[in-house]
Amino acid sequence: FQAAHPNLQVRALISNGRQLQDALMDNRLDLALIEGGVSESNLRAEVFSRDRLILILPPDHPLCWTETLNLQDIISYPLLLREQGSAGRSFLDHVFAVHGLTMEPVWESASTQALVKAVSAGLGISFLPEQLVRTDLAAGTVSTRPIADESFLRQHWIVWHRNKFLTASAREFIAMT
C-alpha cells in the first residue's frame, strides 16, 4: 500500500486487540487489523483473513501416539500459552470455557518463538497459529495432533470507528485486505 502511495504517511502500531480498539475509539488510529474478536459496538469490522490455532507438542510427547484427542485429554498437561489479553489467549480462554474447562498455564509469554522453543525443550504443550509453526513442524522440533472436539478456526478483522470519515485511500486499503 505504501509503495502505491509514496506521498501518504502510513504509520503502524503493533499492539494487542484491546489497545488497538481503544486507539480507534479515541481517534488515535484510522484503521486496525485485529486478530480475534472486536468488542466495541461503535467499531465496524470486516473479516479479512482466517487462520487456525494448532496444538504443538514435543516430538516425543505421549499424546503424539494418542489416536483421538479431545480438549479434556490435554488439560492436565503443562500449558505454555500466550499472555493474558492477547487475542490468541482470549480465543483459547473462550474455547476452553465453552467446553467447561479452565486452563491453568504454567508459563505465559508474549513471544511465540519462546513458546515454540519451550515446547521443543519438553517444558509443556501449547496452542499457536499454524502459520507461525510450519517451519518448526517441518524441521521436527515440535509435533502436532488434531483436537477432535474443536476446530480452533479464527477470523481476523479490519476495523474502524463507525463515525470515521473514510478517505479514498482508507477505502482502498480496506479493499486490499
Side-chain angles (χ1 to χ4, degrees):
F1 183 81
Q2 184 71 68
H5 300 279
N7 296 326
L8 186 65
Q9 182 182 1
V10 176
R11 184 178 70 99
L13 169 66
I14 299 172
S15 190
N16 68 42
R18 174 75 262 148
Q19 291 173 342
L20 293 173
Q21 289 179 71
D22 289 345
L24 289 167
M25 293 298 294
D26 296 342
N27 202 31
R28 290 178 281 134
L29 283 179
D30 295 326
L31 301 167
L33 303 176
I34 297 177
E35 65 178 359
V38 176
S39 58
E40 292 288 344
S41 62
N42 283 327
L43 296 179
R44 179 149 182 229
E46 293 181 7
V47 174
F48 75 89
S49 74
R50 291 171 174 76
D51 77 348
R52 183 168 68 105
L53 296 184
I54 62 170
L55 171 68
I56 61 168
L57 315 130
D60 60 349
H61 197 278
L63 290 176
C64 290
W65 295 278
T66 304
E67 190 153 330
T68 302
L69 285 179
N70 291 305
L71 286 177
Q72 184 66 48
D73 300 325
I74 63 170
I75 200 72
S76 63
Y77 289 93
L79 292 170
L80 315 176
L81 300 176
R82 287 291 312 268
E83 78 282 7
Q84 198 75 0
S86 70
R89 176 61 179 279
S90 297
F91 178 81
L92 283 173
D93 286 340
H94 174 75
V95 166
F96 276 76
V98 165
H99 289 270
L101 301 169
T102 303
M103 296 185 303
E104 304 270 342
V106 297
W107 197 25
E108 297 179 62
S109 176
S111 167
T112 56
Q113 281 308 303
L115 291 169
V116 171
K117 289 183 189 314
V119 168
S120 177
L123 299 178
I125 63 176
S126 190
F127 288 90
L128 291 172
E130 186 173 26
Q131 268 184 269
L132 295 180
V133 296
R134 276 195 185 130
T135 303
D136 302 284
L137 289 167
T141 57
V142 296
S143 295
T144 188
R145 295 287 299 135
I147 306 293
D149 57 346
E150 186 57 52
S151 69
F152 292 101
L153 290 174
R154 303 185 302 170
Q155 295 181 336
H156 305 298
W157 307 87
I158 184 158
V159 185
W160 63 95
H161 196 284
R162 287 189 183 283
N163 297 328
K164 179 79 173 177
F165 172 77
L166 295 177
T167 63
S169 56
R171 289 191 306 276
E172 181 182 343
F173 184 84
I174 291 168
M176 287 178 66
T177 58

